[in-house]
Amino acid sequence: MFAWTSRLLHWRQNNDVIIKGSQTQFIPYAGIYVIARQYKGKTALTILNGTTKPATMEVERYAEVIGSTTKAKDILTGRYFDLSKNLELKPRQSLVLEF
């Protein structure tokens, strides 16, 4: 837990997207919560599966912030996600994607 929290806090520190960016909070849909922050062409997308079951995040619902981006990096794991198709989320999974 310490390593996870440390990575998140260090990423946030002095990050203009977080400090100065505008925020878009989407209405939860099918138990999935999505919040975006954008600043000078950069986006941070926080995704939470609030259910105890696997869920699918329909990428098209968030096209206004994703735009034509097809690849995003999870800042907590370094894993890349394909945003050209829906995301399959594990129960209670959280992602913080940047692109």
Side-chain angles (χ1 to χ4, degrees):
M1 186 65 181
F2 175 80
W4 184 90
T5 304
S6 180
R7 278 192 303 273
L8 181 61
L9 294 176
H10 281 95
W11 173 79
R12 285 187 72 230
Q13 188 176 23
N14 299 318
N15 187 330
D16 284 343
V17 173
I18 300 302
I19 297 167
K20 300 175 183 177
S22 62
Q23 181 169 302
T24 304
Q25 185 170 338
F26 293 89
I27 295 171
Y29 181 76
I32 298 172
Y33 302 81
V34 176
I35 300 169
R37 291 194 65 91
Q38 296 180 297
Y39 184 72
K40 291 191 175 181
K42 295 188 178 189
T43 301
L45 195 65
T46 302
I47 304 164
L48 304 169
N49 176 4
T51 72
T52 57
K53 298 178 183 176
T56 301
M57 185 191 101
E58 297 176 15
V59 173
E60 189 174 307
R61 281 185 59 83
Y62 311 99
E64 69 184 83
V65 294
I66 293 173
S68 62
T69 301
T70 58
K71 186 173 159 183
K73 180 181 178 182
D74 179 8
I75 62 101
L76 296 169
T77 65
R79 181 177 167 206
Y80 284 89
F81 286 85
D82 181 359
L83 296 180
S84 67
K85 60 182 181 178
N86 294 338
L87 296 180
E88 300 301 323
L89 303 171
K90 296 176 186 173
R92 302 284 186 203
Q93 183 176 6
S94 63
L95 298 171
V96 181
L97 304 180
E98 68 178 354
F99 49 94

